[in-house]
Amino acid sequence: MIKPDAVSKGFIGPILSKIAEGGFSIKAMKYIQLSRGQAEAFYAVHHSRPFYEGLVEFMSSGPIVACILAKENAVEDFRAFIGSTDPEKAHEGSIRKLFGTNIQRNAVHGSDSDENAVVESNFFFSQFERF
Ligand code: CMP
């Protein structure tokens, strides 16, 4: 996902360019605003964390871009590619370093396991929306 902070700052194009440069191809993509309930469901795994409320509020505050990306070893490579959750700790040239603001407003989300990538892909896309 490209998160609301990056979308509102006009970073959709630059982030998609970086993703293409990184060797990822796009299997599915949509531009939508999550409802509060959808953001709660998407991040349900973090329900008990102190940052959950703020995260849900932020993630439903404006449109996002959801994508399914393809590449060999895509999940692990994408997480390494985007950098640490906290943009301040992310490596130079990474998407979060370049486009993130802080640990909550960190520009992009990447699935943390192959299993979650399947769950999260199914959250956003039907089989007819994948190419
Ligand atoms: P993301 O990759 O979308 O996965 C969970 C999100 O929770 C994470 O990126 C951040 O946006 C947010 N998050 C994680 N840790 C914190 C924290 N300590 N404070 C605020 N937000 C956080």
Side-chain angles (χ1 to χ4, degrees), residues 1 3 42-43 45-46 49-52 54-55 58-59 79 82-86 96 102-112 120:
M1 262 190 288
K3 297 187 177 186
F42 187 87
Y43 281 113
V45 63
H46 295 303
R49 309 290 280 277
F51 58 79
Y52 178 72
L55 179 63
F58 162 57
M59 288 303 297
R79 285 180 72 79
I82 62 181
S84 292
T85 306
D86 184 348
R96 282 174 167 160
N102 57 39
I103 197 164
Q104 179 191 74
R105 296 170 181 265
N106 60 357
V108 287
H109 165 80
S111 304
D112 65 3
E120 293 178 354

Side-chain angles (χ1 to χ4, degrees), residues 87-110:
E88 269 186 36
K89 297 185 184 137
H91 58 278
E92 287 302 325
S94 64
I95 291 179
R96 282 174 167 160
K97 182 73 166 192
L98 287 168
F99 304 112
T101 304
N102 57 39
I103 197 164
Q104 179 191 74
R105 296 170 181 265
N106 60 357
V108 287
H109 165 80

